[in-house]
Amino acid sequence: MSTKEYVYEDNNSDFALFQEITFDDENNNPAVLQIDNASNFSVFSHKLMSDSDKVSSQLIAEIPADEFDKIAIEWCKKRKLHGALGGPVGLEFGSPDCKYD
């Protein structure tokens, strides 16, 4: 059993970030970036230069910088990465664990 937990969702934009939440290991599930009405994207597929015949693919999608900033900030808050970014590491004002906004 799983459900989507949205990390970032804005009704005024076409971008959302979520994780599939399961009872097993919710914090290590991959992040999923959903782009609705994508206008500028491309998909590439090519063979790698190696002994094996592996095929590699690449997805490229443009996201406006200000929108990506919002997504990145919400992801860092969810993953409690504020200490790694030089911010407050406890219950200080401004940390995601703070009870006050």
Side-chain angles (χ1 to χ4, degrees):
M1 180 87 189
S2 69
T3 185
K4 290 180 184 177
E5 181 180 82
Y6 282 88
V7 176
Y8 175 80
E9 183 178 31
D10 185 353
N11 293 334
N12 297 326
S13 75
D14 293 326
F15 303 97
L17 181 71
F18 65 88
Q19 277 185 299
E20 290 285 341
I21 303 301
T22 60
F23 296 115
D24 299 334
D25 209 14
E26 82 175 54
N27 213 21
N28 290 319
N29 290 341
V32 178
L33 180 60
Q34 178 179 317
I35 303 173
D36 297 330
N37 302 314
S39 59
N40 199 0
F41 69 94
S42 55
V43 177
F44 297 98
S45 182
H46 60 279
K47 279 194 171 181
L48 295 175
M49 298 296 205
S50 66
D51 295 335
S52 64
D53 288 332
K54 292 185 178 178
V55 174
S56 174
S57 61
Q58 183 179 51
L59 170 67
I60 298 173
E62 289 186 11
I63 300 172
D66 60 336
E67 198 73 36
F68 192 82
D69 291 344
K70 295 174 192 174
I71 293 168
I73 289 166
E74 292 305 315
W75 179 252
C76 290
K77 285 181 182 179
K78 175 175 180 9
R79 299 284 292 173
K80 299 185 179 184
L81 298 174
H82 46 286
L85 301 171
V89 294
L91 295 176
E92 295 95 347
F93 184 74
S95 79
D97 295 327
C98 181
K99 296 178 183 177
Y100 309 100
D101 286 329

